[in-house]
Amino acid sequence: MKIALIGATGMAGSRILEELVSRGHYVKAIARDTHKVADTERVMAVNVDLNDHDALVDALKGQDAVISAVRFQGLDAHALIEAVRDSKVKRYLVVGGAGTLHVPHQNIRVLDTPDFPDAYKPEAEAAAIFLDKLKEITDLDWTFISPSAEFGPGKRTGEFRLGRDELLVGDEGSKISAEDFAVALADELEQNNHIQQRFTVGY
């Protein structure tokens, strides 16, 4: 597949890029600063400012799917979604956050719990707004993928669980490595099991 990856140099994006290339996909790696991305037979680095609508649309055109792995805080959700729409690419996968998930067996979002860190609230609330906007859209085959609460660099094991709207908690808490998150995202890209849905991944 030909895939446009927005935010290809970030913590999640760089692991997603590596996973996609390992599976034989062709990736257009989009970032504001692509000096960390090496052009190869399967990777094309493209410098694009997300605020430049026309440039972003041009970069996305002709791809089989778009993946966005960018911070939500300060992001114009409407503008990004409209750029994907205007590019005529139907498949859209979004790296989400854990804050929008519900506490297990409770009707309360993780970000609304009393002990949710204040430092992460603006990003979590922005992610919630983005997810709400996606839920209103019927003309894109979108998928919003939330990681577990602890999400960072680690090992690629290929072993994890999938859930829907509740935070996954294992023996060592709520965790997923960025490497295994990338595996779950690439699986979804190839299998299309959660069209117009959100799901989560964790150990």
Side-chain angles (χ1 to χ4, degrees), residues 174-189:
S174 179
K175 295 181 178 181
I176 190 68
S177 71
E179 287 77 3
D180 276 340
F181 180 91
V183 174
L185 185 146
D187 288 347
E188 173 62 27
L189 174 70

Side-chain angles (χ1 to χ4, degrees), residues 119-169:
Y120 298 143
K121 266 224 163 130
E123 174 68 10
E125 289 171 346
I129 290 170
F130 199 99
L131 177 57
D132 286 344
K133 287 189 177 296
L134 283 178
K135 287 178 177 178
E136 297 171 357
I137 291 172
T138 58
D139 60 345
L140 283 178
D141 291 338
W142 61 266
T143 304
F144 188 96
I145 309 171
S146 289
S148 290
E150 291 186 41
F151 178 43
K155 293 182 178 179
R156 184 192 188 281
T157 69
E159 296 180 7
F160 46 79
R161 295 181 293 151
L162 301 184
R164 285 297 303 276
D165 293 311
E166 283 194 354
L167 187 73
L168 291 173
V169 181

Side-chain angles (χ1 to χ4, degrees), residues 5-20 27 29-30 37 67-70 95 151 178 181-182 185:
L5 174 59
I6 304 170
T9 59
M11 189 276 292
S14 59
R15 273 84 179 172
I16 293 167
L17 175 60
E18 186 176 342
E19 181 68 27
L20 293 175
V27 183
I30 298 172
V37 180
I67 299 168
S68 61
V70 292
V95 176
F151 178 43
F181 180 91
L185 185 146

Side-chain angles (χ1 to χ4, degrees), residues 5 16 26 33 46-47 53 57-58 60 70 96 98 103 116 118 121 137 154-155 165-166 168 175-176 178 191 194-195:
L5 174 59
I16 293 167
Y26 293 86
D33 180 0
V46 182
N47 285 72
H53 178 85
V57 171
D58 285 344
L60 302 181
V70 292
V103 177
F116 190 83
D118 288 340
K121 266 224 163 130
I137 291 172
K155 293 182 178 179
D165 293 311
E166 283 194 354
L168 291 173
K175 295 181 178 181
I176 190 68
Q191 297 167 15
H194 299 87
I195 299 295

